[in-house]
Amino acid sequence: DEAALTGESFPVAKQTQAVEERAGVPERTCMTYFGTMATKGRAEGVVVATGMTTEVGVIAELLQSKDEPTPLQQRFNELSRYLVTVCIAVCACVVALGLSHGEPLYSMFLAGVSLAVAAIPEGLPAIVTIVLALGVQRIAKVKALVRRLPAVETLGSATVICSDKTGTLTCNQMTVTEVWAGGEGYRVTGYGLTPQGEFWLGAKRVEAQMVPDLCLALRSGAACTATRVLRGKQMAVLGDPTEAALIVAAEKAKLDATVSLVKEFPFDSQRMLMSVVVKDQSGKHQVFTKGAPDALFALCTEYREKGRSTKLTPAILATLRGLTFAGLVGMHDPPRPEVRATLKKCRMAGIRVIMVTGDHALTALAIAREIELVGKEARAVTGTELKAMSDDELADVVSRVNVFARVSPECKLRLVRTLRRLGDVVAMTGDGINDAPALKEADIGVSMGQCGTEVAREASALVLQDDNFATIVKAIEEGRGIYDNIRKFIRYLLSCNVGELLAVFVAMAVGLPLPLRPMQILWVNLVTDGLPAMALGVDSADKNVMLRQPRSPQEGVFSRGLARRILTRGGS
């Protein structure tokens, strides 16, 4: 079981034959890794790496990078430099002006202190912290937990979401979608582990329990040992997820999927089959076998068509074992129902979505096309191809390709770094140990709360309680509203400070006494201005907040006319 390293949910069969040197971790079938677990079988091997040279060690080394300031922290550093520069310049000007008029040095020192106090919004750090904390509560209501306070605002500036496929864009629940039985092809609706769905033959809905050949195929598939349990309000699988999907399909047909199991022959990577011996209500024993089509056809002599058994042609037969082919089941992990609408919302908001998965390239492309992330002519770039690219080549590919498959931890990390170098603010999702370096490197690391590892959660800034891609977009919407509110109270506080600054400056320039003492200015800044500014900070988000493009990562704190509005309103 290599899920912690590769994200693959199924155990991988190992063998001794060499593989291509450039093969990624999922393709290295002749290697086993520290941190993974053997689920079946025995083997002896040669140790080729220990400590920090193992795959887990490489990931640990990638996690050693230092945390960089968030966009909000960068903007407040910029604001601090502006305020300090203005404060020193104005204070020096006023003190020099007063001394030139013959004012006492003490009076000028007091005037300089008053101006310094008037120029600095003392309540700003406290209000920002309170507003961000309240933002954490608002984001928690959409089932996302913020682990780092500045990430609340960073969410609103995201320009790219690098999303995993399984469990985030899809349901992470295998679902039967088609059944071929008795010479007919049936379409099955519904998804997940809830037995709610219908069977359709073309444009006609059929009662599955009234079609003998379909019932036989469904009963054959459902004869297995997997079970479903209720964990909280969610259904979960005990056993193979493929078998659970077959049980659900039988229940959709209103068939009793329970059997009296006599003996089981588990799935074997050599046979590519699993078999069970069951006893029906009359005491008769039956054998049901399922597995890979090529392996199964070799064991069949007949198949069911329109209620009777028909001989298979010799061209199909490799050995004759006497089985009757009952049916063919097509299944996949379906996309979450809300994903298409959420992706459309991302496009309207100017947010690009990139699928980054450990699955096969064809699987990734099929799901990406189904959810309308890419068109029919799109291609997927594999981790092996990515490793062979130079930084400039990768930068060109990243700007055009939205599906990356079979990627390693190093590939994910390199993707994030390339996107950030191109000027994007990147949100990266992940759940395994292998995702941790990229989660930490991203501007917003997003981990899974239900199926994620503790290492991934520690490296992330945001944890999804429902592992749902739509929750990320809801959190981004909240983040945009929070940043708008921060700009509102910055405008309010600095406008008030500009008014205080001008009042003191003009009074000193014309030789009048100081209109405000330092303690009076502190009182106004902390108490009188603080509460209204806090009210602006909890204002609800604009309804059209997701209909505009993301703000530029290079955008300054006084951009979009904020400095002009502060000066004009403060002066009035």
Side-chain angles (χ1 to χ4, degrees):
D1 180 1
E2 296 180 344
L5 279 179
T6 65
E8 295 282 0
S9 57
F10 292 102
V12 181
K14 296 295 181 177
Q15 45 83 31
T16 58
Q17 296 174 352
V19 298
E20 186 181 351
E21 186 176 355
R22 295 188 304 163
V25 172
E27 287 83 25
R28 298 176 194 168
T29 54
C30 59
M31 303 286 289
T32 57
Y33 301 98
F34 173 71
T36 63
M37 182 175 62
T39 60
K40 185 172 63 174
R42 291 178 174 272
E44 291 183 357
V46 178
V47 176
V48 297
T50 59
M52 294 301 286
T53 57
T54 64
E55 290 297 325
V56 173
V58 171
I59 293 172
E61 189 171 356
L62 293 174
L63 285 170
Q64 300 305 311
S65 60
K66 296 180 180 179
D67 292 331
E68 296 184 8
T70 67
L72 179 64
Q73 291 169 325
Q74 294 172 0
R75 289 179 177 89
F76 272 95
N77 289 338
E78 176 189 350
L79 176 62
S80 299
R81 289 193 295 269
Y82 280 134
L83 292 177
V84 169
T85 302
V86 170
C87 179
I88 293 175
V90 173
C91 290
C93 180
V94 169
V95 171
L97 183 63
L99 291 176
S100 67
H101 289 168
E103 295 291 337
L105 179 61
Y106 174 75
S107 298
M108 288 302 95
F109 174 76
L110 190 61
V113 172
S114 298
L115 283 171
V117 173
I120 304 297
E122 291 82 6
L124 185 59
I127 294 171
V128 169
T129 303
I130 292 171
V131 169
L132 291 179
L134 293 174
V136 169
Q137 295 181 349
R138 287 166 60 173
I139 292 175
K141 292 179 181 178
V142 298
K143 297 184 178 180
L145 300 178
V146 177
R147 296 188 66 254
R148 299 188 179 95
L149 201 59
V152 173
E153 180 275 336
T154 310
L155 280 166
S157 58
T159 60
V160 175
I161 302 175
C162 293
S163 176
D164 192 10
K165 176 185 72 67
T166 306
T168 308
L169 295 173
T170 67
C171 300
N172 196 23
Q173 293 176 351
M174 295 299 291
T175 303
V176 172
T177 57
E178 295 183 25
V179 179
W180 184 91
E184 302 285 1
Y186 300 88
R187 179 169 54 88
V188 188
T189 63
Y191 67 94
L193 298 176
T194 303
Q196 295 176 353
E198 299 173 336
F199 288 78
W200 291 78
L201 182 60
K204 179 182 178 182
R205 187 173 68 86
V206 299
E207 297 294 335
Q209 70 269 30
M210 304 301 293
V211 185
D213 288 337
L214 180 57
C215 289
L216 176 62
L218 294 173
R219 288 187 189 279
S220 301
C224 52
T225 58
T227 58
R228 290 173 300 141
V229 295
L230 187 64
R231 291 178 179 169
K233 296 182 179 180
Q234 299 289 332
M235 293 298 298
V237 179
L238 294 180
D240 192 303
T242 301
E243 294 183 351
L246 293 169
I247 292 174
V248 172
E251 292 180 352
K252 288 179 181 178
K254 298 180 175 56
L255 301 177
D256 185 2
T258 59
V259 293
S260 177
L261 186 66
V262 177
K263 188 172 181 60
E264 178 190 12
F265 300 90
F267 182 86
D268 185 279
S269 58
Q270 300 299 321
R271 290 198 316 136
M272 301 297 290
L273 299 167
M274 75 87 65
S275 304
V276 291
V277 181
V278 300
K279 183 168 65 175
D280 61 19
Q281 295 179 349
S282 64
K284 181 181 178 181
H285 288 75
Q286 292 178 301
V287 175
F288 292 124
T289 301
K290 51 184 172 287
D294 53 348
L296 192 62
F297 282 142
L299 302 179
C300 295
T301 56
E302 297 179 333
Y303 72 98
R304 299 286 295 177
E305 183 177 21
K306 297 182 179 179
R308 67 177 188 273
S309 297
T310 304
K311 292 288 184 181
L312 283 169
T313 62
I316 300 177
L317 303 179
T319 58
L320 302 180
R321 296 291 181 85
L323 293 179
T324 298
F325 182 65
L328 183 67
V329 175
M331 62 179 69
H332 79 319
D333 180 11
R336 289 181 179 269
E338 66 278 6
V339 162
R340 290 184 186 86
T342 304
L343 288 174
K344 181 179 179 181
K345 193 174 185 179
C346 288
R347 288 190 288 270
M348 294 171 64
I351 301 171
R352 182 183 172 201
V353 179
I354 300 176
M355 180 190 291
V356 183
T357 178
D359 278 342
H360 193 279
L362 293 178
T363 304
L365 268 179
I367 295 296
R369 288 167 180 156
E370 186 174 356
I371 63 178
E372 300 175 4
L373 174 63
V374 298
K376 293 182 179 179
E377 302 302 321
R379 61 181 285 250
V381 173
T382 65
T384 303
E385 294 173 315
L386 193 151
K387 288 179 180 178
M389 296 177 185
S390 66
D391 289 345
D392 291 339
E393 289 173 334
L394 180 58
D396 178 62
V397 168
V398 163
S399 64
R400 295 182 289 105
V401 176
N402 287 340
V403 179
F404 292 85
R406 289 297 194 196
V407 290
S408 66
E410 295 90 342
C411 292
K412 292 183 180 182
L413 184 60
R414 195 175 172 204
L415 277 173
V416 171
R417 286 175 174 169
T418 300
L419 286 166
R420 296 188 67 190
R421 191 172 68 250
L422 293 174
D424 286 303
V425 176
V426 184
M428 176 76 188
T429 74
D431 53 13
I433 296 174
N434 60 329
D435 297 319
L439 290 174
K440 187 172 183 180
E441 181 71 19
D443 297 283
I444 313 115
V446 183
S447 63
M448 306 297 119
Q450 293 182 346
C451 64
T453 62
E454 188 62 33
V455 174
R457 286 193 286 269
E458 283 295 320
S460 65
L462 189 75
V463 180
L464 303 183
Q465 292 179 287
D466 57 359
D467 295 5
N468 195 337
F469 177 79
T471 303
I472 304 174
V473 180
K474 291 177 184 177
I476 289 175
E477 185 173 358
E478 289 290 345
R480 286 191 175 189
I482 289 166
Y483 180 72
D484 287 348
N485 290 344
I486 289 174
R487 282 176 58 90
K488 288 177 186 177
F489 68 67
I490 286 178
R491 182 182 64 201
Y492 171 75
L493 287 176
L494 292 186
S495 296
C496 295
N497 283 36
V498 167
E500 296 166 3
L501 195 64
L502 287 175
V504 174
F505 183 81
V506 171
M508 292 301 303
V510 299
L512 296 174
L514 285 175
L516 294 168
R517 298 288 180 178
M519 289 302 296
Q520 292 174 319
I521 295 173
L522 277 175
W523 178 264
V524 171
N525 286 356
L526 291 174
V527 180
T528 308
D529 291 349
L531 294 177
M534 196 178 301
L536 290 172
V538 296
D539 196 10
S540 57
D542 184 0
K543 293 182 179 179
N544 298 323
V545 72
M546 293 298 282
L547 297 179
R548 62 178 187 236
Q549 296 297 301
R551 62 183 181 274
S552 170
Q554 288 76 39
E555 180 182 289
V557 70
F558 293 116
S559 63
R560 289 182 276 158
L562 183 60
R564 175 178 50 80
R565 289 195 293 271
I566 288 173
L567 293 174
T568 55
R569 296 178 185 183
S572 61

Short mmCIF file of all heavy atoms in Angstrom, two decimals, residues 428-480:
data_model
loop_
_atom_site.label_atom_id
_atom_site.label_comp_id
_atom_site.label_asym_id
_atom_site.label_seq_id
_atom_site.Cartn_x
_atom_site.Cartn_y
_atom_site.Cartn_z
N MET A 428 -2.75 25.05 -3.46
CA MET A 428 -2.41 23.67 -3.80
C MET A 428 -3.12 22.72 -2.84
O MET A 428 -3.05 22.90 -1.62
CB MET A 428 -0.89 23.47 -3.69
CG MET A 428 -0.42 22.05 -3.94
SD MET A 428 -0.45 21.65 -5.69
CE MET A 428 -0.11 19.88 -5.66
N THR A 429 -3.82 21.72 -3.38
CA THR A 429 -4.50 20.75 -2.54
C THR A 429 -3.68 19.47 -2.44
O THR A 429 -2.88 19.16 -3.33
CB THR A 429 -5.90 20.40 -3.08
OG1 THR A 429 -5.76 19.57 -4.24
CG2 THR A 429 -6.67 21.65 -3.45
N GLY A 430 -3.89 18.71 -1.38
CA GLY A 430 -3.19 17.45 -1.21
C GLY A 430 -3.65 16.73 0.03
O GLY A 430 -4.27 17.34 0.92
N ASP A 431 -3.36 15.41 0.10
CA ASP A 431 -3.78 14.63 1.27
C ASP A 431 -2.70 13.69 1.80
O ASP A 431 -2.76 13.24 2.92
CB ASP A 431 -5.04 13.83 0.96
CG ASP A 431 -4.89 12.97 -0.28
OD1 ASP A 431 -3.75 12.81 -0.77
OD2 ASP A 431 -5.92 12.46 -0.78
N GLY A 432 -1.69 13.37 0.98
CA GLY A 432 -0.69 12.40 1.39
C GLY A 432 0.61 13.04 1.86
O GLY A 432 0.81 14.26 1.74
N ILE A 433 1.49 12.19 2.37
CA ILE A 433 2.82 12.65 2.75
C ILE A 433 3.53 13.27 1.55
O ILE A 433 4.25 14.26 1.66
CB ILE A 433 3.64 11.48 3.32
CG1 ILE A 433 3.01 10.96 4.62
CG2 ILE A 433 5.08 11.89 3.59
CD1 ILE A 433 3.67 9.72 5.17
N ASN A 434 3.29 12.66 0.38
CA ASN A 434 3.96 13.15 -0.83
C ASN A 434 3.54 14.56 -1.22
O ASN A 434 4.23 15.24 -1.98
CB ASN A 434 3.68 12.19 -2.00
CG ASN A 434 2.19 12.05 -2.29
OD1 ASN A 434 1.36 12.15 -1.39
ND2 ASN A 434 1.85 11.83 -3.53
N ASP A 435 2.40 15.02 -0.73
CA ASP A 435 1.92 16.36 -1.08
C ASP A 435 2.48 17.45 -0.17
O ASP A 435 2.35 18.64 -0.48
CB ASP A 435 0.38 16.41 -0.99
CG ASP A 435 -0.28 15.47 -1.99
OD1 ASP A 435 0.21 15.40 -3.13
OD2 ASP A 435 -1.26 14.80 -1.62
N ALA A 436 3.07 17.08 0.96
CA ALA A 436 3.46 18.05 1.97
C ALA A 436 4.42 19.13 1.46
O ALA A 436 4.21 20.33 1.75
CB ALA A 436 4.06 17.33 3.19
N PRO A 437 5.49 18.81 0.70
CA PRO A 437 6.38 19.88 0.24
C PRO A 437 5.67 20.93 -0.61
O PRO A 437 5.90 22.13 -0.44
CB PRO A 437 7.44 19.13 -0.57
CG PRO A 437 7.43 17.74 -0.03
CD PRO A 437 6.01 17.48 0.32
N ALA A 438 4.81 20.48 -1.54
CA ALA A 438 4.09 21.42 -2.40
C ALA A 438 3.08 22.23 -1.59
O ALA A 438 2.86 23.42 -1.86
CB ALA A 438 3.39 20.67 -3.53
N LEU A 439 2.45 21.61 -0.58
CA LEU A 439 1.50 22.33 0.27
C LEU A 439 2.19 23.46 1.02
O LEU A 439 1.65 24.57 1.15
CB LEU A 439 0.85 21.37 1.27
CG LEU A 439 -0.13 20.33 0.70
CD1 LEU A 439 -0.58 19.37 1.78
CD2 LEU A 439 -1.34 21.01 0.07
N LYS A 440 3.39 23.19 1.50
CA LYS A 440 4.11 24.21 2.25
C LYS A 440 4.63 25.31 1.34
O LYS A 440 4.66 26.48 1.72
CB LYS A 440 5.28 23.58 3.01
CG LYS A 440 5.99 24.55 3.95
CD LYS A 440 7.00 23.86 4.83
CE LYS A 440 7.64 24.85 5.80
NZ LYS A 440 8.64 24.21 6.68
N GLU A 441 5.06 24.96 0.13
CA GLU A 441 5.61 25.94 -0.81
C GLU A 441 4.53 26.86 -1.37
O GLU A 441 4.80 28.02 -1.68
CB GLU A 441 6.31 25.20 -1.95
CG GLU A 441 6.94 26.10 -2.99
CD GLU A 441 8.18 26.82 -2.47
OE1 GLU A 441 8.75 26.35 -1.47
OE2 GLU A 441 8.56 27.83 -3.08
N ALA A 442 3.30 26.35 -1.52
CA ALA A 442 2.22 27.13 -2.12
C ALA A 442 1.85 28.32 -1.24
O ALA A 442 2.09 28.33 -0.03
CB ALA A 442 1.00 26.24 -2.35
N ASP A 443 1.26 29.33 -1.87
CA ASP A 443 0.77 30.47 -1.10
C ASP A 443 -0.33 30.04 -0.13
O ASP A 443 -0.40 30.54 0.99
CB ASP A 443 0.24 31.55 -2.05
CG ASP A 443 1.32 32.11 -2.95
OD1 ASP A 443 2.12 32.93 -2.47
OD2 ASP A 443 1.38 31.71 -4.12
N ILE A 444 -1.19 29.13 -0.58
CA ILE A 444 -2.23 28.56 0.27
C ILE A 444 -2.20 27.05 0.11
O ILE A 444 -2.65 26.52 -0.91
CB ILE A 444 -3.65 29.08 -0.07
CG1 ILE A 444 -3.66 30.59 -0.23
CG2 ILE A 444 -4.65 28.64 0.99
CD1 ILE A 444 -3.97 31.04 -1.61
N GLY A 445 -1.68 26.34 1.10
CA GLY A 445 -1.71 24.88 1.08
C GLY A 445 -3.04 24.41 1.64
O GLY A 445 -3.46 24.84 2.72
N VAL A 446 -3.75 23.54 0.90
CA VAL A 446 -5.08 23.08 1.29
C VAL A 446 -5.03 21.57 1.45
O VAL A 446 -4.79 20.84 0.48
CB VAL A 446 -6.14 23.47 0.23
CG1 VAL A 446 -7.53 23.04 0.69
CG2 VAL A 446 -6.10 24.97 -0.05
N SER A 447 -5.26 21.07 2.65
CA SER A 447 -5.23 19.63 2.91
C SER A 447 -6.64 19.10 3.16
O SER A 447 -7.57 19.86 3.43
CB SER A 447 -4.32 19.31 4.10
OG SER A 447 -4.83 19.89 5.28
N MET A 448 -6.76 17.78 3.10
CA MET A 448 -8.05 17.11 3.27
C MET A 448 -8.25 16.71 4.73
O MET A 448 -7.38 16.09 5.34
CB MET A 448 -8.14 15.86 2.38
CG MET A 448 -7.86 16.14 0.92
SD MET A 448 -9.06 17.25 0.16
CE MET A 448 -8.00 18.61 -0.32
N GLY A 449 -9.39 17.06 5.28
CA GLY A 449 -9.67 16.75 6.68
C GLY A 449 -10.16 15.34 6.91
O GLY A 449 -9.97 14.78 7.98
N GLN A 450 -10.80 14.74 5.90
CA GLN A 450 -11.36 13.40 6.07
C GLN A 450 -10.35 12.30 5.75
O GLN A 450 -10.18 11.37 6.51
CB GLN A 450 -12.61 13.25 5.19
CG GLN A 450 -13.77 14.12 5.62
CD GLN A 450 -15.01 13.90 4.76
OE1 GLN A 450 -14.95 13.30 3.70
NE2 GLN A 450 -16.14 14.42 5.20
N CYS A 451 -9.67 12.42 4.60
CA CYS A 451 -8.77 11.34 4.18
C CYS A 451 -7.31 11.78 4.19
O CYS A 451 -6.44 11.01 3.80
CB CYS A 451 -9.15 10.84 2.79
SG CYS A 451 -8.98 12.08 1.48
N GLY A 452 -7.01 13.00 4.62
CA GLY A 452 -5.64 13.50 4.59
C GLY A 452 -4.80 12.96 5.73
O GLY A 452 -5.30 12.57 6.78
N THR A 453 -3.48 12.93 5.51
CA THR A 453 -2.54 12.50 6.55
C THR A 453 -2.21 13.67 7.46
O THR A 453 -2.40 14.84 7.11
CB THR A 453 -1.25 11.98 5.92
OG1 THR A 453 -0.62 13.04 5.18
CG2 THR A 453 -1.52 10.81 4.99
N GLU A 454 -1.71 13.36 8.64
CA GLU A 454 -1.34 14.40 9.60
C GLU A 454 -0.20 15.26 9.06
O GLU A 454 -0.17 16.48 9.30
CB GLU A 454 -0.93 13.75 10.93
CG GLU A 454 -0.72 14.74 12.07
CD GLU A 454 -1.97 15.51 12.41
OE1 GLU A 454 -3.08 14.94 12.29
OE2 GLU A 454 -1.85 16.69 12.80
N VAL A 455 0.72 14.66 8.31
CA VAL A 455 1.83 15.43 7.73
C VAL A 455 1.31 16.48 6.77
O VAL A 455 1.76 17.63 6.77
CB VAL A 455 2.81 14.47 7.00
CG1 VAL A 455 3.90 15.26 6.27
CG2 VAL A 455 3.44 13.52 8.00
N ALA A 456 0.34 16.10 5.93
CA ALA A 456 -0.25 17.06 4.98
C ALA A 456 -0.95 18.19 5.71
O ALA A 456 -0.84 19.37 5.33
CB ALA A 456 -1.21 16.34 4.04
N ARG A 457 -1.69 17.87 6.76
CA ARG A 457 -2.41 18.92 7.50
C ARG A 457 -1.44 19.88 8.18
O ARG A 457 -1.69 21.10 8.23
CB ARG A 457 -3.35 18.28 8.52
CG ARG A 457 -4.59 17.67 7.90
CD ARG A 457 -5.64 17.34 8.94
NE ARG A 457 -5.28 16.18 9.73
CZ ARG A 457 -5.62 14.93 9.42
NH1 ARG A 457 -6.32 14.68 8.32
NH2 ARG A 457 -5.26 13.92 10.18
N GLU A 458 -0.34 19.36 8.71
CA GLU A 458 0.65 20.22 9.36
C GLU A 458 1.30 21.18 8.37
O GLU A 458 1.68 22.29 8.73
CB GLU A 458 1.73 19.36 10.04
CG GLU A 458 1.29 18.73 11.35
CD GLU A 458 1.00 19.76 12.42
OE1 GLU A 458 1.75 20.75 12.52
OE2 GLU A 458 0.01 19.57 13.16
N ALA A 459 1.45 20.75 7.12
CA ALA A 459 2.11 21.58 6.11
C ALA A 459 1.17 22.57 5.45
O ALA A 459 1.61 23.45 4.71
CB ALA A 459 2.73 20.69 5.03
N SER A 460 -0.13 22.48 5.72
CA SER A 460 -1.12 23.30 5.01
C SER A 460 -1.56 24.50 5.83
O SER A 460 -1.32 24.57 7.04
CB SER A 460 -2.34 22.44 4.65
OG SER A 460 -2.99 22.01 5.84
N ALA A 461 -2.20 25.44 5.14
CA ALA A 461 -2.76 26.61 5.80
C ALA A 461 -4.27 26.49 5.96
O ALA A 461 -4.87 27.17 6.79
CB ALA A 461 -2.43 27.87 5.00
N LEU A 462 -4.89 25.61 5.17
CA LEU A 462 -6.34 25.45 5.18
C LEU A 462 -6.67 23.97 5.15
O LEU A 462 -6.05 23.21 4.40
CB LEU A 462 -6.96 26.15 3.95
CG LEU A 462 -8.48 26.27 3.90
CD1 LEU A 462 -8.95 27.35 4.87
CD2 LEU A 462 -8.94 26.63 2.49
N VAL A 463 -7.62 23.53 5.97
CA VAL A 463 -8.03 22.13 6.02
C VAL A 463 -9.50 22.05 5.65
O VAL A 463 -10.34 22.72 6.27
CB VAL A 463 -7.81 21.52 7.42
CG1 VAL A 463 -8.25 20.05 7.44
CG2 VAL A 463 -6.36 21.63 7.84
N LEU A 464 -9.82 21.25 4.63
CA LEU A 464 -11.20 21.07 4.20
C LEU A 464 -11.86 19.98 5.02
O LEU A 464 -11.38 18.85 5.05
CB LEU A 464 -11.26 20.71 2.72
CG LEU A 464 -10.61 21.67 1.72
CD1 LEU A 464 -10.83 21.18 0.30
CD2 LEU A 464 -11.17 23.07 1.90
N GLN A 465 -12.96 20.31 5.67
CA GLN A 465 -13.64 19.31 6.49
C GLN A 465 -14.39 18.30 5.63
O GLN A 465 -14.64 17.17 6.07
CB GLN A 465 -14.60 19.99 7.45
CG GLN A 465 -13.90 20.81 8.52
CD GLN A 465 -14.89 21.50 9.44
OE1 GLN A 465 -15.55 22.47 9.06
NE2 GLN A 465 -15.01 21.00 10.65
N ASP A 466 -14.79 18.69 4.41
CA ASP A 466 -15.55 17.79 3.55
C ASP A 466 -14.77 17.32 2.33
O ASP A 466 -15.33 16.65 1.45
CB ASP A 466 -16.85 18.45 3.10
CG ASP A 466 -16.61 19.77 2.38
OD1 ASP A 466 -15.44 20.17 2.25
OD2 ASP A 466 -17.59 20.41 1.95
N ASP A 467 -13.48 17.68 2.23
CA ASP A 467 -12.60 17.27 1.11
C ASP A 467 -13.19 17.66 -0.25
O ASP A 467 -12.94 16.99 -1.26
CB ASP A 467 -12.38 15.75 1.13
CG ASP A 467 -11.60 15.29 2.36
OD1 ASP A 467 -11.32 16.13 3.22
OD2 ASP A 467 -11.28 14.10 2.44
N ASN A 468 -13.91 18.75 -0.30
CA ASN A 468 -14.67 19.12 -1.51
C ASN A 468 -14.02 20.31 -2.19
O ASN A 468 -13.74 21.33 -1.56
CB ASN A 468 -16.11 19.45 -1.12
CG ASN A 468 -17.03 19.49 -2.33
OD1 ASN A 468 -16.59 19.70 -3.46
ND2 ASN A 468 -18.31 19.29 -2.10
N PHE A 469 -13.84 20.21 -3.52
CA PHE A 469 -13.26 21.31 -4.28
C PHE A 469 -14.11 22.58 -4.16
O PHE A 469 -13.58 23.69 -4.09
CB PHE A 469 -13.14 20.90 -5.76
CG PHE A 469 -12.63 21.98 -6.65
CD1 PHE A 469 -11.27 22.28 -6.71
CD2 PHE A 469 -13.49 22.73 -7.43
CE1 PHE A 469 -10.79 23.28 -7.53
CE2 PHE A 469 -13.02 23.74 -8.26
CZ PHE A 469 -11.67 24.01 -8.30
N ALA A 470 -15.44 22.43 -4.14
CA ALA A 470 -16.32 23.60 -4.06
C ALA A 470 -16.07 24.39 -2.78
O ALA A 470 -16.25 25.62 -2.77
CB ALA A 470 -17.79 23.16 -4.12
N THR A 471 -15.64 23.73 -1.71
CA THR A 471 -15.37 24.42 -0.45
C THR A 471 -14.19 25.38 -0.60
O THR A 471 -14.17 26.46 0.00
CB THR A 471 -15.10 23.40 0.66
OG1 THR A 471 -16.23 22.52 0.77
CG2 THR A 471 -14.86 24.08 2.00
N ILE A 472 -13.19 25.00 -1.42
CA ILE A 472 -12.04 25.89 -1.66
C ILE A 472 -12.52 27.19 -2.28
O ILE A 472 -12.12 28.29 -1.88
CB ILE A 472 -11.01 25.21 -2.58
CG1 ILE A 472 -10.57 23.87 -2.01
CG2 ILE A 472 -9.81 26.12 -2.81
CD1 ILE A 472 -9.67 23.09 -2.95
N VAL A 473 -13.40 27.07 -3.27
CA VAL A 473 -13.89 28.26 -3.98
C VAL A 473 -14.74 29.12 -3.05
O VAL A 473 -14.67 30.36 -3.09
CB VAL A 473 -14.68 27.84 -5.23
CG1 VAL A 473 -15.19 29.06 -5.99
CG2 VAL A 473 -13.79 27.00 -6.15
N LYS A 474 -15.53 28.49 -2.18
CA LYS A 474 -16.30 29.27 -1.20
C LYS A 474 -15.37 30.02 -0.26
O LYS A 474 -15.63 31.18 0.09
CB LYS A 474 -17.21 28.33 -0.40
CG LYS A 474 -18.34 27.72 -1.18
CD LYS A 474 -19.14 26.75 -0.31
CE LYS A 474 -20.23 26.05 -1.11
NZ LYS A 474 -20.95 25.05 -0.28
N ALA A 475 -14.28 29.37 0.15
CA ALA A 475 -13.31 30.02 1.03
C ALA A 475 -12.62 31.18 0.32
O ALA A 475 -12.36 32.23 0.92
CB ALA A 475 -12.28 29.01 1.52
N ILE A 476 -12.33 31.02 -0.98
CA ILE A 476 -11.73 32.11 -1.75
C ILE A 476 -12.69 33.29 -1.83
O ILE A 476 -12.29 34.46 -1.72
CB ILE A 476 -11.35 31.61 -3.16
CG1 ILE A 476 -10.14 30.67 -3.07
CG2 ILE A 476 -11.05 32.77 -4.10
CD1 ILE A 476 -9.76 30.03 -4.40
N GLU A 477 -13.96 32.99 -2.01
CA GLU A 477 -14.97 34.06 -2.05
C GLU A 477 -15.00 34.83 -0.73
O GLU A 477 -15.05 36.06 -0.71
CB GLU A 477 -16.35 33.46 -2.35
CG GLU A 477 -17.45 34.49 -2.51
CD GLU A 477 -18.75 33.86 -2.97
OE1 GLU A 477 -18.79 32.63 -3.20
OE2 GLU A 477 -19.74 34.61 -3.10
N GLU A 478 -14.93 34.10 0.39
CA GLU A 478 -14.88 34.76 1.69
C GLU A 478 -13.60 35.58 1.83
O GLU A 478 -13.61 36.69 2.36
CB GLU A 478 -14.96 33.71 2.81
CG GLU A 478 -16.31 33.04 2.96
CD GLU A 478 -17.38 33.97 3.51
OE1 GLU A 478 -17.02 35.04 4.04
OE2 GLU A 478 -18.57 33.64 3.38
N GLY A 479 -12.49 35.02 1.33
CA GLY A 479 -11.22 35.74 1.41
C GLY A 479 -11.23 37.04 0.64
O GLY A 479 -10.68 38.06 1.08
N ARG A 480 -11.87 37.05 -0.52
CA ARG A 480 -11.99 38.29 -1.30
C ARG A 480 -12.80 39.33 -0.54
O ARG A 480 -12.45 40.52 -0.52
CB ARG A 480 -12.64 38.01 -2.65
CG ARG A 480 -11.74 37.30 -3.64
CD ARG A 480 -12.35 37.28 -5.04
NE ARG A 480 -11.43 36.69 -6.01
CZ ARG A 480 -11.65 36.71 -7.33
NH1 ARG A 480 -12.76 37.26 -7.80
NH2 ARG A 480 -10.78 36.16 -8.16
#
